[in-house]
Amino acid sequence: MVAQVKHFINGAWRPASDGGTFASINPADESCVAQVAAGTSADVNAAAASAKAAFPAWRKTPAPARGEVLYRAAQLLSERKEDLSRLLTREMGKVISEARGDVQEAIDMAWYMGGEGRRLFGHTAPVEMPDKFGMALREPVGVVGLITPWNFPVAVPSWKLFPALVAGNSVILKPAEDAPATAALFVQICAEAGLPPGVLNLVCGAGETGAALVAHTDVRVISFTGSTDTGLQVYQRAARLGKKVSLEMGGKNAIIVLEDADLDLAAQAITWSAFGTTGQRCTAASRLIVQREVHGQLAEALTEKARALELGDGLDESVEVGPLVNEAALEKVERYMGIAREEGARVLTGGARADLGQGWFFQPTLLDGVTRDMRVAREEIFGPVLALITVDSMDEAVELNNEVRYGLSSSIFTRDVNRAFHAMRDLSSGIVYINHGTSGAEIQFPFGGIRETGNGMREAGQAGLDTFTEWKTVYVDYSGRLQRAQIDTEALLQDAPGEGGDS
């Protein structure tokens, strides 16, 4: 049965203003999962008006009470975890075990950010004048727009939504057009937790819908996760309107394996990081920088593991690698195989479509003989492709890791604690792993990257509140007289009690 997905505006499900729809397709069997309302600027306007009207009352709701709503959302998400996970797999293709992990991250984030309702820490500091007090407080910004990707269609929205809500903002979510049904069920569950009408709104659609959200004058914050090219366009448009922007964009993550590494552990971690989610993670390992002494042994082990991976429909519990999200993604990976061969890379395994009769599947692929100047070593492919690059030293490996345009996640395998600490200092990325792959994040720590991966903002952890809050500084002068903002140390000392004076 094909679901009907509508917009969620002011607490009600609505069709598109012009009645338009688009199809959400299962990438494993090319069946239609849902017919989805196609957003227009009129729909964005309606959502923005709803969010603007709801903001004052939500802002004044005590933060602990806002946190209680998130606690209820966590409980409801836990109860509906399997339903949400299975829909997620049907819509974007990741295997069911990973889909459950995707939803679990949202559950964890709801619990974590619910707790921030009783923290939302500001700070106090000494002031210059006597009989005066100073403090800094977090304030919500207003209406925020969230533009989220298809590859983590529950986890990533939760990283944005829950800190925005607990801080007191109202929200418009524009999910990726490859996973709108999953977003709609997520929003429904969150609304059932007790959010007042208008505090959370959903508008589905393609790039035009996102552009209308970015351009709307009542939307004061844009939080975007997606490709670097699109993210930089969002940044430019929003900056011209004076909006606050958070960007999480591309990656070209590397795992470094030194000659003293535990190669069995490294091979297991590399296989997961390169081919988990079919390579469609911003933290996926797409480069393997390996010291020459262990290159042959590691390449052989990885080839064997890649060939053994089972491809298929992610709803099958035995499947380890699902399809790419759509036909365009499959064709992109195919184009890069042609580029790799033209540049002189060798295919150790994979390198072509996997013919399962239906769906958009590509074989897990290992490329050898890759050099630092090849496009497959520098550009984001976003598929199950790992490029092996051989180096002669740790210094060379670190240099290669740091020279690409992206800087999200990096990893090194070594048994030498000194080398590990040098790597912590010298690897230039937002996330560094020692003896683990590049994939995986925990919600209590900041998540994000540098260079063309991000713009300095972070998601998750207490840092995740920064995008959705502004600082207000408050001074209270209880001296009863006008005090000038300067320090007269001599006068202050004269006013202070003497050695034999009152204490």
Side-chain angles (χ1 to χ4, degrees), residues 59-110:
R59 174 184 180 275
K60 293 177 182 178
T61 300
R66 299 195 297 256
E68 292 289 340
V69 175
L70 268 59
Y71 287 151
R72 289 193 290 273
Q75 185 61 46
L76 291 173
L77 286 166
S78 297
E79 294 170 3
R80 302 290 302 277
K81 180 177 179 179
E82 190 64 15
D83 293 341
L84 192 50
S85 300
R86 294 183 72 83
L87 176 59
L88 191 161
T89 291
R90 289 180 59 219
E91 194 165 39
M92 62 74 59
K94 70 170 60 174
V95 299
I96 188 64
S97 60
E98 293 185 39
R100 292 176 185 131
D102 194 318
V103 178
Q104 186 61 49
E105 284 203 27
I107 295 168
D108 295 343
M109 185 61 77

Side-chain angles (χ1 to χ4, degrees), residues 196-277:
V199 171
L200 173 57
N201 304 272
L202 172 75
V203 180
C204 301
E208 297 81 1
T209 310
L213 184 61
V214 171
H216 201 287
T217 55
D218 289 334
V219 178
R220 299 312 307 154
V221 177
I222 295 292
S223 181
F224 170 89
T225 299
S227 72
T228 295
D229 290 343
T230 302
L232 293 177
Q233 292 174 20
V234 167
Y235 203 13
Q236 293 169 0
R237 294 169 185 167
R240 286 196 293 267
L241 298 170
K243 298 177 188 284
K244 191 175 186 180
V245 183
S246 171
L247 300 176
E248 182 58 41
M249 303 181 289
K252 191 65 179 176
N253 311 296
I255 295 176
I256 297 170
V257 179
L258 301 183
E259 89 285 349
D260 67 336
D262 180 336
L263 294 186
D264 289 338
L265 175 62
Q268 293 176 48
I270 293 163
T271 302
W272 163 242
S273 291
F275 306 126
T277 323

Side-chain angles (χ1 to χ4, degrees), residues 115-290:
E116 290 303 306
R118 292 187 180 273
R119 290 186 291 264
L120 282 177
F121 295 134
H123 66 267
T124 64
V127 296
E128 296 177 354
M129 309 302 293
D131 300 326
K132 185 179 179 182
F133 178 79
M135 58 185 168
L137 311 172
R138 285 189 185 270
E139 291 270 297
V141 182
V143 179
V144 304
L146 312 180
I147 302 175
T148 59
W150 50 263
N151 61 334
F152 282 86
V154 178
V156 170
S158 79
W159 296 353
K160 304 174 188 294
L161 176 62
F162 293 143
L165 290 176
V166 80
N169 301 280
S170 54
V171 175
I172 305 167
L173 170 62
K174 205 297 282 185
E177 53 267 41
D178 286 301
T182 304
L185 181 53
F186 176 59
V187 165
Q188 177 185 325
I189 293 169
C190 292
E192 290 173 1
L195 289 172
V199 171
L200 173 57
N201 304 272
L202 172 75
V203 180
C204 301
E208 297 81 1
T209 310
L213 184 61
V214 171
H216 201 287
T217 55
D218 289 334
V219 178
R220 299 312 307 154
V221 177
I222 295 292
S223 181
F224 170 89
T225 299
S227 72
T228 295
D229 290 343
T230 302
L232 293 177
Q233 292 174 20
V234 167
Y235 203 13
Q236 293 169 0
R237 294 169 185 167
R240 286 196 293 267
L241 298 170
K243 298 177 188 284
K244 191 175 186 180
V245 183
S246 171
L247 300 176
E248 182 58 41
M249 303 181 289
K252 191 65 179 176
N253 311 296
I255 295 176
I256 297 170
V257 179
L258 301 183
E259 89 285 349
D260 67 336
D262 180 336
L263 294 186
D264 289 338
L265 175 62
Q268 293 176 48
I270 293 163
T271 302
W272 163 242
S273 291
F275 306 126
T277 323
T278 320
Q280 298 173 121
R281 290 173 178 246
C282 55
T283 57
S286 58
R287 295 184 294 157
L288 175 59
I289 303 172
V290 57

Side-chain angles (χ1 to χ4, degrees), residues 228-229 232 378 402-407 450-453:
T228 295
D229 290 343
L232 293 177
R378 309 187 72 86
N402 296 349
E403 70 181 10
V404 296
R405 62 190 285 213
Y406 305 108
I450 61 176
R451 297 190 291 279
E452 291 187 37
T453 291

